[in-house]
Amino acid sequence: SETRAVMTEDPAKELEILYERYVGRNFVNKARREQVMVDAIKRQLRDNKLQQFYKQYTFTEDYRKIQFPLVWQAEGRHSIIKPLTLDQNDPGKLVEHADEWKRKIQWLLERNRIRQDELMIPIEPPASDNDELKDAYRVAERDLQELGVDLVPFTDTPRIVEFARQP
């Protein structure tokens, strides 16, 4: 990771958020990690007075239910933030998790339920330095980029907040 500076009015709160993102993840069950990511983004939305706009929403069609944790609906448009952790212990599971979400998103895009510019995926790489996991992450990231949606590092709070401001 590259070193970055952060400007904030509340350094203690920012430190807490960064601690959760980088250190706290070691203590969280992998199955719950995406919820922790959602909660961290919700705090950023709250700090930027955007939390009232983003709600959980489920797209339903043809017996499919595709749920997103953070959706702003306004005037027929959506602004969707779907955090995705690829911090898995098994390279196959990492790729499968990315593929599952790629299929869901592709299905929505093909049916014009959402547009590419309406979705941002904050993505979290594996915490491990294992070469197979790193390679699997690159494969999964490449596959997700084929969707043409905004794929950003989960740690890029300024870009996430900037996207969240634009319904």
Side-chain angles (χ1 to χ4, degrees):
S1 274
E2 58 188 69
T3 302
R4 296 182 190 196
V6 175
M7 293 185 67
T8 181
E9 292 180 9
D10 189 345
K13 183 179 272 188
E14 188 66 27
L15 180 61
E16 178 183 329
I17 290 167
L18 291 172
Y19 179 86
E20 265 184 50
R21 285 189 180 173
Y22 293 106
V23 179
R25 66 192 245 169
N26 293 333
F27 306 107
V28 176
N29 179 313
K30 299 286 187 226
R32 239 188 75 63
R33 179 64 192 149
E34 284 179 7
Q35 184 57 51
V36 171
M37 293 168 71
V38 167
D39 293 344
I41 292 172
K42 281 182 178 179
R43 275 191 296 285
Q44 287 297 319
L45 295 175
R46 185 179 57 244
D47 292 349
N48 287 276
K49 300 185 180 12
L50 296 166
Q51 79 278 3
Q52 72 272 20
F53 301 113
Y54 282 88
K55 307 289 182 217
Q56 182 173 297
Y57 181 77
T58 302
F59 290 89
T60 306
E61 187 176 321
D62 292 340
Y63 306 103
R64 289 176 179 86
K65 293 181 180 181
I66 303 171
Q67 183 174 301
F68 290 92
L70 299 165
V71 180
W72 181 353
Q73 297 183 81
E75 302 170 15
R77 286 187 42 84
H78 303 96
S79 182
I80 304 165
I81 303 172
K82 169 53 181 130
L84 188 65
T85 185
L86 296 178
D87 186 10
Q88 306 284 334
N89 294 325
D90 177 87
K93 288 183 180 179
L94 185 156
V95 172
E96 285 173 15
H97 186 56
D99 283 349
E100 174 189 356
W101 275 100
K102 181 181 178 186
R103 279 192 311 276
K104 290 177 180 183
I105 293 165
Q106 189 65 48
W107 191 86
L108 291 169
L109 290 168
E110 288 171 356
R111 283 152 186 80
N112 297 313
R113 295 294 308 272
I114 63 173
R115 296 190 338 235
Q116 291 168 315
D117 65 341
E118 294 178 325
L119 175 63
M120 171 178 271
I121 303 175
I123 192 168
E124 181 178 62
S128 171
D129 284 335
N130 176 290
D131 288 339
E132 277 190 318
L133 287 173
K134 285 181 178 180
D135 188 48
Y137 175 77
R138 283 190 290 275
V139 168
E141 185 178 39
R142 182 197 65 221
D143 289 349
L144 290 167
Q145 286 172 339
E146 291 173 0
L147 292 169
V149 300
D150 203 356
L151 195 65
V152 301
F154 172 62
T155 56
D156 196 345
T157 301
R159 280 184 60 195
I160 296 168
V161 170
E162 180 183 333
F163 176 87
R165 290 184 194 281
Q166 303 168 14

